[in-house]
Amino acid sequence: MHFYPSDLLASGVSDAFTAAQPGSYLALVLVIAVLCQWLASRLRVPGILVLLVVGFGLGQLISPEEIIDREMLFGGTTLAVGVILFEGSLTLKFKQIRDLGTSVRRLCTVVVLIAWALITAAALLIGYDWRIALLAGAILVVTGPTVISPILRQLRPTRRVASLLRWEGIVVDPIGAVLAVLVYQAIVAGQDGAIGAVVLGLLYTLAIGFGIGLGVGWVMAQLTRRHLIPDFLDGIAYLAAALGALTLSNMLQHETGLLTVTVMGIYLANRADLHLERVLEFKEHLQVLFVGVLFVLLAGRITWAQLVDVLPQALLFLALLVIVVRPVSIFVGLWGSDATTRERILLAAMAPRGIVAAAIMSIFALQLDHAAAGVQNGPRSNDLTLLADQADTLVPLVFAFIVGSVTIYGLGVGRLAERLGLASTNPTGVVFAGAPTWAVQAAQRVAEDGTAVKVVTRDYSAVKACRSVGVDVEFTHILSEYAADDMPLAGFGTLLAVTSDDEVNATAARQFAPVFGKPNVYQLKRHEEATLSIKGAKTKALPARHLTAPSLGSPALTFEELDHRTRRGMRVRSTKLTEAYTLDDFRSRYGDQATILLAKIGGRYVPVTDDTVLPRSGTTLISQVPGGKAANAEAARANGTA
């Protein structure tokens, strides 16, 4: 007998955690899940890829099933997946797809059926029984919010593309689960009762899913409208309602809970009289937590031997689904729809599988094991045992497929989307919320340098001024529903809130911080900061820091101060800093008369504050400086155009 250091290490770690409480293991999984997602965000790679690799490695040291009972593991997985789908469905509003109705309907019907047929054929090709192939096809039609949402955050696509991918990912998940239930029921019923089992199962599933989903959703809507749920229980109450509806549905019909929570979430999301922002924020945090933990746990169930055994089949299966199944499904299913050719190309190159596929495959493999064990010896028992054995090999195959699909789609789709003009993985554009004269001038200077810029305003004269200098303008209020939900922001990475109203600026900064990221949102210096000098008075009058964004400009000035300087004849200009004309020369020339607003650093314009450390040369400043012939000559000399 041979012993290897890795075996000794795995044995030692396993014994240590087996002797300890399960809580210690779960705490370790939680820490690893958070660290993996943090690392992925720093490396700008799909978080799921890191989670799967690290989870698989941890599983070689200690399997989750050595610590957590298998039934409990899968039960917890079902609940967590239900919460993830409920959170995703709360973001699905019909107004998002008013110009994409045909495409969304086909993505959730025709494309699913085509993909199911083609995936089944691919599974047959690699050697699976036709019944197991049908089961695999049903499960793998799903994509899911667990993989789509992180990629969308990194990709920042157009509204139309994001809506198509989000609706497909969330709505198709329960459809895949329902199809899998029907196939499983047909397998267990045998050839004689297969058709009847499928028809009755479908009707029963739809009745339970829509009945309980709409019923519980209506009850929660009434409780919320009548203010019967205290504010501090908002998130918990909706979580309990979703889990209760999911569990009740699964008790009545296996795996119908995902359909129930999806129907419930879509119903609540489209109630105009409900404001569920706090519920959504709570669920988003849970989703990030559950995604990380589930991927680490489920990946840890796969052994190296299982993975090696199915690797050749998995690679062929992956190639078939990526090269044939997805493109054919999209181009045939969306033929003649309202999706553009470029959008179809991107959709054809975007179908990663996630936690739902892994979880459902594991659950049905376990169910087939139970079904085979429950049948007495005979031909039927042998048949179910053979099918259960094949289903067990599908679990590592699906794991390998998930890793491959996330790698291909997650790492490759960014460049394709940018070439198609549908997304930007490195958004450099600047959005000005408000259009005072100096802001329009700054937007013009940024646009002249080839950087995307957008001004958001409801001032007719400002709209005319922007268009006259070739600056893109949106005629809307920055706090409007259109701006919050529908305004195209692909390619934009910075928001400057520069309206005359300090409260609007602060609210806009908070509203768009999740979109652009907190470090990329700025507002003008508040009026109170300039007028209050007594320390105690300032502390009482100024809003809490977490309710405002950093103040734009060096030195930071209020709207009134910038407007006053504009009326005095000061203008916003672009100045290149070089070895011949450095930052010291610029400051020597203008002194405290200049207000630096933006600086081009690393290929993008970065807002400047009093704390910003600017390079001496090799950058371009956008600043408000004194006007006049002398200033014009100085700017021309600095820019090398004199």
Side-chain angles (χ1 to χ4, degrees):
M1 181 177 295
H2 298 282
F3 294 95
Y4 298 95
S6 59
D7 296 330
L8 295 174
L9 176 61
S11 176
V13 174
S14 178
D15 292 343
F17 276 103
T18 302
Q21 296 296 325
S24 302
Y25 174 73
L26 291 176
L28 174 66
V29 170
L30 176 60
V31 171
I32 289 175
V34 173
L35 289 176
C36 285
Q37 295 183 81
W38 172 81
L39 178 63
S41 69
R42 302 295 297 177
L43 298 178
R44 299 185 64 82
V45 298
I48 292 168
L49 184 60
V50 181
L51 288 166
L52 286 172
V53 173
V54 175
F56 175 75
L58 179 64
Q60 307 318 297
L61 298 176
I62 178 170
S63 171
E65 293 181 14
E66 296 180 25
I67 306 297
I68 306 171
D69 178 72
R70 178 184 289 190
E71 299 287 349
M72 183 178 295
L73 175 62
F74 285 144
T77 298
T78 299
L79 295 178
V81 170
V83 172
I84 292 168
L85 278 184
F86 180 60
E87 185 275 332
S89 61
L90 283 174
T91 66
L92 300 183
K93 298 183 179 181
F94 294 125
K95 66 179 183 179
Q96 298 169 341
I97 56 170
R98 54 180 174 267
D99 56 340
L100 292 167
T102 303
S103 297
V104 170
R105 284 193 297 272
R106 291 194 187 179
L107 275 174
C108 300
T109 53
V110 179
V111 172
V112 170
L113 293 176
I114 296 173
W116 187 16
L118 293 177
I119 296 171
T120 300
L124 285 170
L125 185 63
I126 62 175
Y128 282 96
D129 183 277
W130 66 272
R131 290 162 292 183
I132 296 299
L134 275 173
L135 182 64
I139 293 172
L140 290 176
V141 297
V142 306
T143 53
T146 60
V147 284
I148 293 297
S149 296
I151 292 177
L152 289 180
R153 279 197 297 269
Q154 181 180 343
L155 192 61
R156 296 283 298 276
T158 62
R159 177 191 62 82
R160 287 170 55 93
V161 170
S163 296
L164 287 170
L165 290 171
R166 192 174 288 114
W167 274 82
E168 180 193 23
I170 295 169
V171 174
V172 174
D173 272 10
I175 292 175
V178 169
L179 293 176
V181 169
L182 298 179
V183 173
Y184 170 77
Q185 290 175 339
I187 291 174
V188 174
Q191 294 182 357
D192 295 336
I195 296 178
V198 169
V199 173
L200 289 177
L202 177 61
L203 295 176
Y204 197 36
T205 296
L206 293 177
I208 291 173
F210 280 88
I212 296 179
L214 293 175
V216 175
W218 182 84
V219 170
M220 293 303 297
Q222 298 308 309
L223 292 175
T224 302
R225 286 181 63 250
R226 300 173 192 276
H227 305 290
L228 296 177
I229 301 176
D231 289 345
F232 71 93
L233 285 179
D234 267 350
I236 298 296
Y238 276 88
L239 175 64
L243 292 178
L246 179 141
T247 303
L248 177 60
S249 298
N250 284 344
M251 290 173 61
L252 297 175
Q253 173 78 325
H254 188 60
E255 292 305 314
T256 57
L258 300 185
L259 175 62
T260 298
V261 295
T262 302
V263 170
M264 178 180 167
I266 294 176
Y267 169 78
L268 291 170
N270 289 278
R271 288 286 301 251
D273 55 345
L274 296 181
H275 300 284
L276 302 176
E277 289 78 11
R278 294 180 61 182
V279 175
L280 264 174
E281 184 178 1
F282 174 70
K283 295 292 189 296
E284 286 173 358
H285 294 160
L286 285 181
Q287 189 228 46
V288 173
L289 173 67
F290 287 160
V291 166
V293 170
L294 287 180
F295 270 111
V296 172
L297 288 176
L298 293 181
R301 296 186 63 247
I302 309 300
T303 66
W304 180 254
Q306 289 176 318
L307 191 60
V308 171
D309 286 343
V310 301
L311 193 57
Q313 288 176 298
L315 293 175
L316 176 58
F317 195 55
L318 175 65
L320 289 171
L321 266 64
V322 171
I323 299 173
V324 179
V325 173
R326 180 63 175 182
V328 171
S329 302
I330 289 296
F331 284 109
V332 174
L334 296 183
W335 181 266
S337 70
D338 40 26
T340 66
T341 301
R342 290 185 302 165
E343 288 168 347
R344 283 179 233 164
I345 293 173
L346 185 58
L347 288 172
M350 183 70 164
R353 270 56 170 196
I355 196 68
V356 176
I360 295 177
M361 190 66 255
S362 299
I363 289 170
F364 277 106
L366 180 63
Q367 291 296 322
L368 279 172
D369 284 336
H370 289 171
V375 177
Q376 299 297 325
N377 293 333
R380 181 64 180 152
S381 175
N382 294 335
D383 186 43
L384 283 177
T385 301
L386 176 63
L387 295 179
D389 290 341
Q390 286 201 2
D392 286 337
T393 66
L394 267 179
V395 175
L397 185 142
V398 168
F399 168 79
F401 175 73
I402 290 173
V403 173
S405 68
V406 171
T407 302
I408 292 172
Y409 293 124
L411 299 181
V413 74
R415 291 184 179 180
L416 176 62
E418 287 183 323
R419 290 184 179 181
L420 293 172
L422 297 175
S424 175
T425 56
N426 184 29
T428 58
V430 181
V431 177
F432 288 83
T437 301
W438 63 266
V440 175
Q441 293 173 359
Q444 182 183 2
R445 301 293 170 261
V446 173
E448 289 172 347
D449 197 27
T451 297
V453 68
K454 184 191 295 287
V455 174
V456 182
T457 182
R458 284 185 56 83
D459 186 333
Y460 285 101
S461 60
V463 170
K464 183 178 179 180
C466 288
R467 290 174 176 168
S468 67
V469 295
V471 171
D472 183 28
V473 61
E474 286 277 2
F475 182 69
T476 187
H477 195 283
I478 190 60
L479 299 182
S480 67
E481 196 168 355
Y482 165 78
D485 297 333
D486 300 324
M487 186 168 65
L489 292 174
F492 291 92
T494 303
L495 174 76
L496 307 179
V498 295
T499 73
S500 59
D501 190 325
D502 289 336
E503 308 310 325
V504 169
N505 292 340
T507 305
R510 292 196 303 274
Q511 172 68 32
F512 287 93
V515 178
F516 297 100
K518 287 184 180 179
N520 302 314
V521 176
Y522 295 79
Q523 70 177 92
L524 293 181
K525 183 178 179 179
R526 297 179 63 91
H527 177 71
E528 295 94 331
E529 294 183 59
T531 57
L532 293 175
S533 57
I534 302 175
K535 183 176 181 181
K538 181 178 287 190
T539 302
K540 293 179 180 179
L542 291 180
R545 291 185 179 181
H546 70 277
L547 299 178
T548 61
S551 298
L552 174 67
S554 176
L557 300 177
T558 65
F559 179 90
E560 291 78 9
E561 290 170 332
L562 286 164
D563 185 59
H564 177 67
R565 290 158 69 97
T566 301
R567 285 187 275 107
R568 284 174 44 208
M570 300 185 73
R571 295 291 182 264
V572 176
R573 304 190 184 281
S574 174
T575 306
K576 294 180 182 178
L577 299 184
T578 65
E579 291 298 331
Y581 189 86
T582 66
L583 180 63
D584 295 334
D585 296 325
F586 177 86
R587 294 195 185 282
S588 176
R589 168 67 180 85
Y590 293 112
D592 58 2
Q593 297 184 74
T595 298
I596 304 174
L597 304 170
L598 298 160
K600 192 171 186 179
I601 300 173
R604 63 177 294 176
Y605 277 100
V606 177
V608 175
T609 69
D610 288 330
D611 298 326
T612 303
V613 178
L614 294 170
R616 293 184 67 256
S617 61
T619 187
T620 300
L621 304 181
I622 305 294
S623 52
Q624 189 185 49
V625 296
K629 294 182 179 180
N632 291 337
E634 182 69 19
R637 184 177 73 82
N639 293 326
T641 59

